[in-house]
Structures are given as structure tokens and as C-alpha cells.
Amino acid sequence: KILDVGCASGYLVEGLRDLGVDARGIDVSEYAISKVREDIKPYCNVQSATVPIKERYDLITCIEVMEHLSPEDFNRAIDNMCNATNTIIFSSTPFDYAEETHFSVNTPGFWAERFAYNGFFHDVNYDCSYIAVQTMLFRKREYNDISLVRTYEDKLFDLWYENCAMRDRLNLANARIQDLDHGNIQHAVEVNKYIEQINAFEEERKNWYSEFEKNKEEEIGF
């Protein structure tokens, strides 16, 4: 059961319901709701995000909405969402300051802090970038400081290592291009072997990390 907060013309609700999901939506704009597909209109209502959500949901989505609200309103909206679910997919642009309807453009860290006050923490192991680079999945979780630090540091190292591997591949690829430009075919072949080794090791590391995440709760107790 999913609620899309700020559903606009109901495209996400429409797509989910077409897949058999019990999806619903709310939006403050009467005009936007009037444009919802006819068979989806019973599931989309005019309602502000600042109004308490009466029902419980398995998931709430809130995509590019909070930047349109004042600080007083977005704090109330976040409280409302956190009171109605344990899982939230959230996205709010940290870039578009020029848009005249954007009153609260903030970094992902700012929003993560807002949600943390409600006991919701960014699940750093779930990649929401298929929506937008700033999109985050928040889950209601009981964290102590030590487990939170370990979770974030593990992910930080994973991303840092991936960044270093990408930089190595780029440097080697550039070296290979230079060798080919100068007719140094044998050295280009050797460089390509290094690139293949890095790729193989990176794939092995990702597989290990994925398996580690699956078993972490059993292995380390949280």
C-alpha cells in the first residue's frame, strides 16, 4: 500500500495501479488532481502535505515536493509522513535555486537530518538514483551510535574504493590510447590486461560486499 505525497497529475499512482499495486496520491493543487486519468481519480485527492495522513502505508513516496514549502510547512509535512509509514522514498532538488516556486532548496544531508529527528535513517545500501541522483530511501530504525557509524563508514569506504578503481581504469585507458596513437601496440595490450584485472577484482569485491550485506545482521548482531 503506497501513498505518493505531491502526486501532481497522478502519473506514479497510475503506473503503480496498472501494475496491481494499491497506490494512492495527494496533492495540494486542485488543477493537478483534475488532470488525473479518469479511472485513477478515486485514488487521488486534494490534500496538503501539511495535513496529517489518516491511514498507514507500507511506503510513502515524496518526489520533488519539499523544496516548494516553507521551513515551518516542510517540518510538519515530514512529521506527517513519518507518522504514517516506516519507509519513505524522498527526493528534493539540491540544485535548482532559480525556480521561483522553490523556497527550501537544501542538500541531501539537510533532509537526512530532518528525518533523523523522527527516527528515520537513510538506507545507504539502496540506490535510488534511477529516480534522481539526490533521491534517498529512509527507513525507521533503532540505531545506536556505534552501529550507525559502522554502517556509514562501510558505505563510504565502498564508494571511495569504487571511485579509486574508476580513476585507475581511466588513467590506464588514457595510457592505452596514447600507446595506440604512437603505434606501441604491445604495451597497449599489456595495459589492457591491467584494466581487465581491475574490472575482475572490482566485480569480485562487489559480489563479496553484496553477500556481506545479506548476512550482516546474523554476523554482527544488528
Side-chain angles (χ1 to χ4, degrees), residues 118-161:
N118 286 276
F120 282 69
F121 296 91
H122 180 194
D123 184 344
V124 293
N125 293 308
Y126 183 78
D127 182 3
C128 282
S129 62
Y130 57 86
I131 297 174
V133 66
Q134 69 270 10
T135 308
M136 298 176 282
L137 174 65
F138 289 105
R139 298 186 192 275
K140 188 171 186 178
R141 296 192 62 173
E142 293 292 333
Y143 267 125
N144 61 51
D145 292 342
I146 302 302
S147 63
L148 185 62
V149 166
R150 177 166 182 164
T151 297
Y152 278 63
E153 286 296 330
D154 279 346
K155 189 59 180 180
L156 178 61
F157 176 76
D158 181 53
L159 294 174
W160 181 251
Y161 185 91

Side-chain angles (χ1 to χ4, degrees), residues 85-102:
T85 188
N86 290 334
T87 312
I88 298 170
I89 289 180
F90 176 86
S91 184
S92 181
T93 177
F95 308 116
D96 196 355
Y97 292 93
E99 167 59 50
E100 62 181 13
T101 66
H102 288 178

